[in-house]
Amino acid sequence: EPALMTVLHNGEKWDQSNACFDGKNVTLYDKKIQPKPTDMQFIDYGLSALSSAIIGQEIPQNEISDLAVLFRRLSVQRRLAGMEVRERFYEVGSTQGIQDLETYLG
């Protein structure tokens, strides 16, 4: 049973790319990999879907879990479907991000 992650073609433009996407599946998701594969040109968009079955099977109860670890495991197991979005995101965790959003909204 696959999970779903939305991805944006990023090419290191807005933040660190962390996903390889083949048009159908996220074939590798890794926020820390070095050196990065040349085809790691996408970034997770922030909207993902997990079934209750995957959560029950993959996330230990009563423990703190990092979703990045789960998404990496699902990607290398070919269980992470992808959906490409076309409109960039606007993060507000930096001065530049806030300026970009203000320009977009202005």
Side-chain angles (χ1 to χ4, degrees), residues 39-94:
D39 62 339
M40 188 170 271
Q41 296 292 313
F42 290 81
I43 189 168
D44 64 289
Y45 196 71
L47 176 66
S48 299
L50 296 168
S51 69
S52 59
I54 286 178
I55 292 170
Q57 294 165 4
E58 302 287 340
I59 298 177
Q61 289 186 11
N62 303 317
E63 290 183 27
I64 296 173
S65 295
D66 184 344
L67 286 178
V69 174
L70 172 61
F71 285 133
R72 184 185 191 291
R73 184 169 58 247
L74 292 172
S75 72
V76 298
Q77 293 172 349
R78 300 291 190 255
R79 296 172 57 203
L80 187 56
M83 185 180 105
E84 185 175 0
V85 296
R86 306 280 183 198
E87 190 169 325
R88 68 160 284 195
F89 59 88
Y90 292 89
E91 55 84 19
V92 292
S94 69

